[in-house]
Amino acid sequence: LIAGGRDVLLPSVDEVKRLSKYFDKTQIIINKNGGHVLLDELNLCNILVDMQIIKLPPPLTRINAFLEPKSQLERILLGAKRIVSPVFFSTNVKSGQRNIGLSE
């Protein structure tokens, strides 16, 4: 539970203390200088990571960024995608020559 110590709309600090009695494994964060709209001042994602509520994925490298298709269906769909995906051609305005891909 997160509360702002300078909340002038609600007694947030008292409220989080009261609410913590009704939930198991509650952690309270009080931002002493925070007002009512705390998410403008705090990064909720960092708080959740620090409290080990969520885990960040490992950083991507060239090796773990590549995902090999896991099933026969996925391999078939990748093949179909290659067949039906568009191929772009462009024409050189000066020479009239057609090229595969988009040119300047």
Side-chain angles (χ1 to χ4, degrees), residues 33-81:
N33 296 320
H36 185 72
V37 185
L38 286 174
L39 296 182
D40 284 346
E41 303 163 12
L42 300 175
N43 185 326
L44 183 59
C45 184
N46 288 342
I47 292 171
L48 295 174
V49 169
D50 291 343
M51 296 175 78
Q52 297 180 347
I53 294 172
I54 61 172
K55 293 180 181 179
L56 293 177
L60 291 178
T61 64
R62 286 183 175 202
I63 293 172
N64 69 6
F66 174 77
L67 299 175
E68 187 175 334
K70 295 181 175 72
S71 70
Q72 181 66 21
L73 177 61
E74 286 179 301
R75 284 193 280 277
I76 292 169
L77 291 175
L78 277 177
K81 181 180 175 184

Side-chain angles (χ1 to χ4, degrees), residues 21-41:
K21 298 174 187 174
Y22 298 101
F23 298 100
D24 294 333
K25 300 178 183 178
T26 302
Q27 294 184 23
I28 296 174
I29 297 174
I30 297 174
N31 182 347
K32 293 178 184 177
N33 296 320
H36 185 72
V37 185
L38 286 174
L39 296 182
D40 284 346
E41 303 163 12

